[in-house]
Amino acid sequence: MTALEGSMGSLPMFTTPNRPLDILAVLPELATYARRATRLHPRRGNPAAEASSVAGPLLWPEDEPWPTCSLPHLVTVRREATAEEQARSPRIRESPAAGLASVNAKFEEIRARFPTDPNVARLASRWYDGQSRIPAVAPERVPAPTIITTQELVPTEHPVPLVPVVQLRTADVPEIPFPEGTDLLQILWCPHLHTTLRGPQQHYYGPAPSIFWRTAARLAHTIAPGPAAGGVGGYVLEQCTVHPEHITEYPDPEDLPEPLQEQIYAWEESLGDESAFDYRNDLSLAPGLKTGGWPYWPETSRSVRCDCGSEMYLLLTLPNGERGADSWNPLEECSQTGEDYNEELDDPTRFSGAREGILIYICHRDPHHEPWIAIE
């Protein structure tokens, strides 16, 4: 990762600190693997319709209807438990209130064990916020025990409107290969679970994105979609302004040839156990919402190709939270450390539904080809 490389636009700037070490001085062979990326630094706010944004109002063709999803959805089905099912499972026999109290008690045990963990704090905030929105049920009105299962349904009678994910101007994300004649990228998705998307997982469970390439000068209409009805809560993002910053990334070790991997591991070993940084966490991939750059594969690296044979380009990384190693915290927010949890800084989009995040790839030869989606 190189030194800070600038930010564009009139919004506040966020600046990635210089890396703890110039990795090219140690391993000049990595220069051929450098990739441009843009950290978007989302912060909750009210973006203008013509600006790059997360889940904000969009410029839209006046004669184009708002898109809906016609793919099968994996939906939750609740039904009354049979007597046999209640006999088999003590958990089913619990009243809803008793069951919730039991879960809360276990949750508090976890909070007590990890009082400074920002991920636990984020989960706690969402968990109790969700409970506060559930109306109390009088004891005499407690429903019969239920079984919760899933079922794939096609929303034929009431098509589900898509929700905005990002709108990005080419001036803010110059590393993206926009199709000729376009300068605005819009990604929307259906916020329900789907199982039939193109990607690496044999069993995909996630949202269904749609990608639109536009020419801003031809869009005179502004649209601000209303709240999404139903869907998975973590797939309906909070509205954010973005603050683009252009950086350079290097691959995760798993994406490098084995000889280079061995050089990195040998170099890290020479630093000793007391080193305050390492290659994977501090010198290769930036955390947070970003375009371009390199992917992070938590299990194994993958080669991504389009059906046409062309290589595919990492368009967007939407992570489960903005926080990474403290060395990546913007200079303007360096007082924040891994032990401090601030939802608006650490989790501004409130995206959830993946252990690490969602990766969206496009064909390098023709971005209009079907995208490739991975949930990590």
Side-chain angles (χ1 to χ4, degrees):
M1 177 75 192
T2 63
L4 58 96
E5 300 180 39
S7 177
M8 299 179 65
S10 58
L11 292 170
M13 293 175 61
F14 290 97
T15 312
T16 299
N18 288 315
R19 296 299 77 216
L21 174 143
D22 180 5
I23 190 60
L24 293 184
V26 178
L27 294 169
E29 300 93 332
L30 283 172
T32 58
Y33 296 93
R35 283 186 183 176
R36 302 287 288 176
T38 296
R39 297 186 74 183
L40 293 175
H41 296 296
R43 297 295 182 269
R44 291 183 192 170
N46 298 300
E50 64 273 11
S52 294
S53 64
V54 173
L58 306 178
L59 294 176
W60 199 258
E62 193 166 5
D63 58 350
E64 183 176 319
W66 187 254
T68 58
C69 181
S70 58
L71 295 174
H73 295 165
L74 198 64
V75 299
T76 299
V77 178
R78 291 176 171 83
R79 61 174 174 79
E80 187 172 329
T82 65
E84 182 182 353
E85 287 168 335
Q86 293 184 51
R88 274 202 315 262
S89 175
R91 184 179 293 267
I92 293 177
R93 294 198 301 271
E94 279 187 337
S95 72
L100 183 59
S102 174
V103 174
N104 283 345
K106 294 184 187 310
F107 198 80
E108 288 303 319
E109 290 178 15
I110 296 173
R111 292 182 73 186
R113 288 176 58 195
F114 305 100
T116 61
D117 189 310
N119 292 319
V120 173
R122 180 166 64 242
L123 287 173
S125 173
R126 291 179 176 174
W127 176 251
Y128 290 116
D129 179 61
Q131 288 184 43
S132 69
R133 303 180 188 186
I134 300 174
V137 178
E140 64 274 11
R141 296 179 58 199
V142 172
T146 59
I147 291 290
I148 301 176
T149 61
T150 57
Q151 180 178 347
E152 203 169 51
L153 296 176
V154 178
T156 52
E157 293 185 8
H158 303 286
V160 175
L162 305 190
V163 297
V165 180
V166 295
Q167 174 173 269
L168 299 171
R169 303 180 306 156
T170 186
D172 290 331
V173 287
E175 73 284 350
I176 291 179
F178 276 70
E180 186 175 354
T182 67
D183 58 9
L184 192 70
L185 163 65
Q186 295 170 336
I187 301 179
L188 293 77
W189 66 27
C190 175
H192 286 263
L193 289 171
H194 303 75
T195 61
T196 54
L197 294 186
R198 183 169 178 268
Q201 284 95 347
Q202 184 178 3
H203 303 290
Y204 176 89
Y205 298 100
S210 294
I211 297 175
F212 301 85
W213 304 96
R214 311 282 196 187
T215 303
R218 299 176 184 170
L219 305 176
H221 186 54
T222 297
I223 189 166
V232 177
Y235 297 156
V236 181
L237 307 184
E238 290 285 337
Q239 188 169 275
C240 294
T241 59
V242 297
H243 311 81
E245 180 196 14
H246 309 314
I247 62 171
T248 299
E249 289 191 334
Y250 300 100
D252 184 85
E254 296 297 324
D255 274 321
L256 289 167
E258 191 170 334
L260 256 180
Q261 290 184 37
E262 293 175 354
Q263 289 185 61
I264 289 173
Y265 298 143
W267 169 71
E268 288 182 329
E269 188 173 347
S270 72
L271 296 177
D273 295 337
E274 301 303 316
S275 175
F277 61 88
D278 61 43
Y279 175 80
R280 171 172 278 155
N281 291 307
D282 300 278
L283 304 174
S284 59
L285 308 178
L289 179 65
K290 61 186 177 181
T291 57
W294 283 90
Y296 170 62
W297 303 115
E299 295 180 1
T300 180
S301 63
R302 300 185 177 99
S303 176
V304 183
R305 285 194 171 273
C306 181
D307 290 342
C308 72
S310 172
E311 290 186 5
M312 300 199 82
Y313 177 86
L314 179 55
L315 177 65
L316 186 76
T317 300
L318 179 57
N320 190 11
E322 285 290 299
R323 179 65 63 88
D326 286 346
S327 70
W328 293 103
N329 291 349
L331 290 172
E332 296 78 7
E333 297 170 351
C334 269
S335 60
Q336 294 286 318
T337 69
E339 296 185 356
D340 303 318
Y341 177 71
N342 181 320
E343 186 182 60
E344 291 197 11
L345 300 182
D346 297 348
D347 191 22
T349 68
R350 288 181 69 92
F351 166 75
S352 62
R355 184 177 63 179
E356 299 289 342
I358 285 184
L359 307 177
I360 301 179
Y361 279 80
I362 56 171
C363 176
H364 208 288
R365 181 183 299 164
D366 186 348
H368 293 99
H369 287 175
E370 185 180 3
W372 190 92
I373 317 295
I375 291 186
E376 296 298 334

